[in-house]
Amino acid sequence: MDLNAVETYRRARTRADLALAPGEVPLAGGTLLFSAPSPLITGLVDLTTLGWPDLEPSADGLRIGATCPIARLVAFAEGRDALRPDPTWTAVPLFADAAHALLASFKIWNTATVGGNIAQSYAAAAMVALGTALDAEALIWPPDGGERRMPVAEIPAGNGLSSLGAGEIIRAIDIPARALRSRAALRRIALAELGRSGAVVTGRVDEGGAAVFGITASVERPVVLRWPSLPSAADLRAAVAGAQGWYTDPLGAADWRRGVSVVLAERCRAALPEGDAE
């Protein structure tokens, strides 16, 4: 086990249990936490024992508990869950599309959590792509009490760098009904057939015709582009090519990421209807 400096483990039962002592970190799925040595971590505080509901559909939209496993979200989207999506939520198939953009086995899907994937803030985080696509907001619990809200697209401050403050916990992710009733598309590419996403682009057209495109994986932090209606191919191409934050790593060069994102954005645009989403 890589976390060989851990001396304590606590099951959180109430919000008061989330006050972290020096060296303690929150634990949800732990798929990333347990994947590399972390000698400074001396204690774990388990969030999964708080009993947060995984999924809470309502007239306002869908609340996803931060500890909801990605596999449960996919099962919900594919109609394999005890809960069923509202039939007017035409964007729900995007849940599975985003999950498939995560390089992971079924074991990871059943353990990794939606909130944990977002909190880690990696450029290729699949749940960040989903949240960016659907204007999702995170409900955040600061360590001194109260709560605040932040768009999921604004949580990553860089590749693997989160804007969450010390001791802050994501409690839930809220997706508004207006976004769930949209028509949406996701396109991705990786250098290897089963490799981590090098670029992910999402497109959405709302009921009133407004269009939203999101760029993730290819940029250090999400880029959100908005138009009052579906943009022309030229306008979309110029906006995507002019985005900032392209980066280079072993899984793709910055100029390649920019180029393929332009192509993926046009493929999303072609998959979306003109005007009203209905």
Side-chain angles (χ1 to χ4, degrees):
M1 180 174 175
D2 290 326
L3 300 184
N4 56 12
V6 171
E7 298 176 348
T8 62
Y9 165 81
R10 296 192 289 113
R11 294 180 175 88
R13 303 294 185 187
T14 68
R15 184 168 178 178
D17 295 329
L18 299 180
L20 301 177
E24 284 188 326
V25 296
L27 168 67
T31 54
L32 183 62
L33 184 62
F34 292 133
S35 68
S38 299
L40 298 182
I41 296 177
T42 59
L44 303 173
V45 180
D46 194 339
L47 305 183
T48 64
T49 52
L50 284 162
W52 295 338
D54 285 344
L55 302 168
E56 297 178 273
S58 71
D60 295 325
L62 178 66
R63 168 163 289 190
I64 306 168
T67 52
C68 175
I70 291 174
R72 175 84 194 273
L73 188 66
V74 174
F76 172 76
E78 295 180 343
R80 297 182 288 104
D81 192 78
L83 292 175
R84 291 290 190 272
D86 186 309
T88 68
W89 289 358
T90 47
V92 163
L94 204 67
F95 295 3
D97 291 342
H100 283 290
L102 177 68
L103 176 62
S105 69
F106 72 93
K107 293 178 288 185
I108 297 295
W109 269 24
N110 280 280
T111 306
T113 62
V114 175
N117 187 256
I118 291 171
Q120 294 298 334
S121 296
Y122 283 102
M127 297 297 101
V128 170
L130 177 64
T132 298
L134 298 179
D135 287 346
E137 282 193 334
L139 176 63
I140 299 167
W141 281 359
D144 56 355
E147 60 185 40
R148 68 185 184 95
R149 305 183 72 84
M150 174 183 285
V152 166
E154 295 179 9
I155 290 179
N159 188 10
L161 179 64
S162 172
S163 63
L164 295 173
E168 288 193 322
I169 301 293
I170 297 178
R171 163 61 185 88
I173 297 90
D174 292 323
I175 303 178
R178 60 173 176 76
L180 290 167
R181 289 194 296 265
S182 70
R183 294 290 299 275
L186 180 150
R187 300 292 184 268
R188 67 175 287 268
I189 192 171
L191 285 177
E193 182 179 357
L194 298 177
R196 193 185 73 193
S197 296
V200 176
V201 178
T202 56
R204 188 181 100 226
V205 174
D206 290 341
E207 289 178 305
V212 183
F213 286 79
I215 307 170
T216 56
S218 55
V219 286
E220 292 184 318
R221 55 186 303 176
V223 172
V224 181
L225 305 169
R226 298 181 186 276
W227 284 270
S229 60
L230 196 67
S232 68
D235 286 345
L236 179 60
R237 180 172 60 251
V240 173
Q244 302 297 310
W246 313 100
Y247 70 100
T248 295
D249 71 1
L251 298 177
D255 58 349
W256 173 78
R257 286 185 155 111
R258 183 197 302 266
V260 296
S261 293
V262 169
V263 174
L264 295 176
E266 174 54 28
R267 290 178 180 176
C268 284
R269 193 189 77 88
L272 297 171
E274 296 278 358
D276 196 298
E278 297 182 344

